[in-house]
Amino acid sequence: MNFLDAVPAIRRLETSRDDLLAIDVVGHVSAADGENLFGLMEAAYALHPHIDVLVRLVDHDGVDWANIAEDTLKQGTAHAMEHVGRCATIGEPDWTADAQHVLRDAPSIEFKHFETEDEASAWQWLGARPTEKQQGRG
């Protein structure tokens, strides 16, 4: 293992909204990264019963869904249906149709995909902005 193997693929972004979970997904998402994502979401739900989510994909290279515990996936899906209002995705691939299919029992979740060059529109759609520490990235 080299030092790059330890870099997490899921990176939380600071925003102007406390009830917005914004993350970068960089490269390949391992099962451990997926578990970390669900942990970040649970922490957000503990602070805010209703949240929005922004996902910025950077050189995305797939997810090890098969290696994430089935109970974690089921619980994560159920909790997302209870707590998430809007979800903006930025970059490729556009997986909003897949997410809508998985979360078909949660028609209240509004998904919207934005191209990388339209990132500012995604932030505007969610009524937020990255904090100073995050500007200039992506």
Side-chain angles (χ1 to χ4, degrees), residues 77-95:
T77 300
H79 287 176
M81 290 190 295
E82 294 172 19
H83 298 282
V84 176
R86 284 183 157 188
C87 180
T89 64
I90 303 166
E92 296 301 325
D94 176 2
W95 49 260

Side-chain angles (χ1 to χ4, degrees), residues 16-124:
S16 61
R17 280 184 53 197
D18 289 342
D19 61 345
L20 172 64
L21 175 63
I23 60 169
D24 272 347
V25 177
V26 181
H28 186 79
V29 179
S30 70
D33 292 318
E35 298 275 347
N36 180 47
L37 172 59
F38 288 116
L40 289 171
M41 294 183 79
E42 290 297 325
Y45 304 152
L47 295 172
H48 304 281
H50 184 80
I51 68 167
D52 291 331
V53 177
L54 179 137
V55 178
R56 184 167 56 186
L57 300 168
V58 181
D59 298 325
H60 184 62
D61 188 29
V63 179
D64 286 339
W65 291 114
N67 295 323
I68 299 173
E70 188 175 329
D71 287 345
T72 300
L73 292 173
K74 286 181 183 178
Q75 183 180 20
T77 300
H79 287 176
M81 290 190 295
E82 294 172 19
H83 298 282
V84 176
R86 284 183 157 188
C87 180
T89 64
I90 303 166
E92 296 301 325
D94 176 2
W95 49 260
T96 54
D98 294 334
Q100 287 171 323
H101 177 73
V102 170
L103 297 167
R104 64 186 167 273
D105 293 332
S108 62
I109 299 178
E110 188 176 359
F111 291 93
K112 191 165 183 180
H113 177 259
F114 297 85
E115 298 297 329
T116 301
E117 59 271 13
D118 295 328
E119 180 175 336
S121 297
W123 287 99
Q124 183 178 8

